[in-house]
Amino acid sequence: MKKFDIIIIISFLLISIVSAAWFMFSSNKKYENTYAEIYVEGVLYKRIPLTENMEEMTIPIETKLGKNVIHISNGKINMVDADCHDRVCVKSGTIDKVGETIVCLPHKVVVEIKGEGKSETDDLAY
């Protein structure tokens, strides 16, 4: 193995480690307020604040395209039922982190978790 090969291998290792660290720190941001936004056919249907001590709620959504049922408890949200043919939205599981989404394409229903407020890490530190 030549000296130049070792330099290339070490460079790729360093780039990989720095990239992994960047993704890890950027995904651990904490927000003061998190909330779920439910969009139906591209229009905001409901905005629900998410907290761990929140009361459980079930939100049925009926449109001309079909029916979806969303369940929210302990700051987590999932699609528990849908009458679409593939039910990918139901199989996508529970979401609770900012940026995660549940999408039902046949019914044009999107559930997205968003956050606002101060984050713990300073973006300028990167």
Side-chain angles (χ1 to χ4, degrees):
M1 190 179 288
K2 295 180 182 177
K3 184 178 179 180
F4 188 70
D5 293 339
I6 294 172
I7 291 171
I8 290 176
I9 291 170
I10 290 173
S11 297
F12 280 118
L13 286 174
L14 287 174
I15 291 170
S16 299
I17 291 169
V18 169
S19 297
W22 184 78
F23 282 118
M24 189 175 82
F25 286 119
S26 65
S27 65
N28 286 336
K29 287 185 177 180
K30 301 285 182 187
Y31 295 91
E32 290 180 3
N33 301 317
T34 58
Y35 53 90
E37 286 186 343
I38 302 170
Y39 292 90
V40 179
E41 297 184 41
V43 178
L44 181 63
Y45 177 78
K46 204 167 230 180
R47 183 178 179 185
I48 304 154
L50 298 175
T51 60
E52 290 193 16
N53 299 326
M54 67 183 297
E55 190 174 308
E56 286 189 25
M57 69 173 60
T58 301
I59 302 169
I61 299 172
E62 288 190 46
T63 66
K64 61 184 178 195
L65 301 171
K67 182 179 176 185
N68 295 75
V69 179
I70 297 170
H71 184 260
I72 302 172
S73 66
N74 296 327
K76 298 178 181 180
I77 187 165
N78 65 332
M79 187 89 64
V80 292
D81 193 23
D83 61 358
C84 55
H85 63 283
D86 56 4
R87 298 176 47 95
V88 172
C89 55
V90 176
K91 296 173 188 170
S92 62
T94 302
I95 59 173
D96 62 348
K97 294 182 177 67
V98 173
E100 291 182 320
T101 58
I102 298 173
V103 179
C104 181
L105 285 179
H107 297 166
K108 298 182 181 178
V109 175
V110 177
V111 180
E112 182 176 9
I113 296 181
K114 294 184 176 182
E116 63 185 12
K118 183 180 174 184
S119 64
E120 283 185 2
T121 53
D122 184 6
D123 288 341
L124 297 176
Y126 296 114

